[in-house]
Amino acid sequence: MEVVVCKTKEEASAIAAAMITAAVKKNPKLVLGLATGSTPVLMYAEMAKAVKAKKVSYKHVKSWNLDEYVGLAGTHDQSYRYFMNKNLFEKIDIQIKNTHVLNGLAKDPEKECAAYETQIRRAGGIDIQVLGIGSDGHIAFNEPGTSLNSRTSVVYLTPSTIKDNARLFFKGKEDEVPTRALSMGVGTICEARKCILLAFGKGKAEAVKGCVEGPVSQFCTASALQMHNDAWIFCDEAAASKLKLRKYYAWRSATKLGI
Ligand code: GLP
């Protein structure tokens, strides 16, 4: 696991975006796993800048998103499909038919999840998976107590996640946040060839500590990334503040990246 500690989230987002841009340049048919939440927004803006500057094209890139709320249509302004369209897909030249987000209105959610896994497999698997982290250490919507081998399925949100997501989105209205979601599993995520997790702000410091230095445990599902051999954690100083070896990680990753 490489932990990149940057002074600001702007700096971390630019470096992570450059990593993705370089990968797409190398393989124009890259398969991306994408994440929602406030954290990747700056990185998505940097990716869009590179497209605008004609440094890279997403024309042949395919994407699969991590999760979606049960009960929200893709046209709902709090759905993750809507978020992705606004924050990334409309700003790059990806073909919308090549973008995939789980259908929160699926009549048979379990069938929807199984089909999603099949689609990813048929595409040859995910090359780079982008991740955020919940303040309770979740990745996608894999809450504490989820098997680290889990596959894409219907999941149940914790009260703390509902609170976090109401504060950031849903105008603070907790009762409007769906209590269930469809989410890629931890096992599904860990099959990606590379994982890039972004974490910013002191509210994520405890979760980052659990992810990087805690035991591998279903209590902090992000800790499963310790078993992945190409996982990159991009933090600002506040999110890295509880890491015992933060100076060492910062030096090692900066040396490897040549930054
Ligand atoms: C939600 C998403 C996660 C995301 C998390 C953190 O729970 N399902 O994928 O990482 O929110 O969101 P934020 O980046 O807004 O803190």
Side-chain angles (χ1 to χ4, degrees):
M1 182 181 266
E2 283 302 331
V3 185
V4 185
V5 186
C6 295
K7 282 216 157 54
T8 62
K9 58 182 178 183
E10 286 77 12
E11 201 187 321
S13 302
I15 300 168
M19 202 175 243
I20 295 177
T21 301
V24 176
K25 273 169 113 172
K26 199 168 166 203
N27 174 13
K29 291 187 171 173
L30 201 82
V31 178
L32 276 177
L34 295 171
T36 50
S38 51
T39 308
V41 169
L42 281 171
M43 185 186 77
Y44 290 157
E46 289 292 330
M47 286 160 64
K49 250 197 240 169
V51 173
K52 209 169 169 205
K54 301 215 181 314
K55 287 188 188 152
V56 67
S57 169
Y58 286 75
K59 208 147 199 166
H60 304 293
V61 167
K62 289 185 178 156
S63 73
W64 273 267
N65 257 79
L66 286 171
D67 44 15
E68 181 60 284
Y69 289 112
V70 167
L72 298 194
T75 47
H76 190 289
D77 65 0
Q78 294 301 335
S79 74
Y80 284 167
R81 159 54 80 181
Y82 186 90
F83 175 98
M84 289 310 300
N85 288 351
K86 294 290 159 206
N87 287 287
L88 186 66
F89 301 151
E90 287 171 9
K91 297 182 176 171
I92 60 176
D93 59 348
I94 198 164
Q95 301 183 63
I96 209 76
K97 70 171 169 62
N98 285 343
T99 69
H100 305 81
V101 182
L102 284 151
N103 177 7
L105 294 184
K107 283 214 173 69
D108 184 340
E110 293 299 350
K111 203 169 154 194
E112 168 76 7
C113 293
Y116 207 66
E117 292 262 348
T118 307
Q119 287 170 12
I120 295 171
R121 226 178 3 257
R122 286 205 181 126
I126 290 172
D127 291 304
I128 301 183
Q129 177 65 60
V130 175
L131 297 160
I133 188 168
S135 57
D136 62 1
H138 71 237
I139 46 174
F141 265 134
N142 294 293
E143 297 285 34
T146 305
S147 161
L148 300 185
N149 283 322
S150 64
R151 309 304 306 185
T152 305
S153 63
V154 180
V155 297
Y156 298 78
L157 311 194
T158 58
S160 84
T161 293
I162 290 175
K163 204 168 173 190
D164 282 351
N165 291 2
R167 186 169 37 84
L168 292 165
F169 303 98
F170 293 94
K171 296 184 183 128
K173 295 178 185 159
E174 279 180 43
D175 54 352
E176 286 188 12
V177 182
T179 53
R180 290 181 304 154
L182 304 180
S183 176
M184 264 192 213
V186 184
T188 319
I189 292 167
C190 288
E191 279 171 10
R193 286 179 268 281
K194 182 193 276 295
C195 289
I196 291 180
L197 183 147
L198 308 173
F200 306 137
K202 66 174 189 322
K204 298 290 170 73
E206 198 59 49
V208 168
K209 181 159 180 55
C211 167
V212 179
E213 294 180 340
V216 174
S217 154
Q218 63 174 13
F219 194 65
C220 171
T221 55
S223 66
L225 295 173
Q226 291 177 29
M227 307 294 287
H228 194 284
N229 66 4
D230 197 11
W232 290 75
I233 316 296
F234 287 86
C235 310
D236 59 4
E237 285 180 349
S241 61
K242 294 199 173 167
L243 294 176
K244 265 193 203 146
L245 293 186
R246 63 182 177 280
K247 287 197 177 136
Y248 165 70
Y249 305 137
W251 166 75
R252 188 178 70 185
S253 57
T255 308
K256 283 194 181 178
L257 289 172
I259 50 174

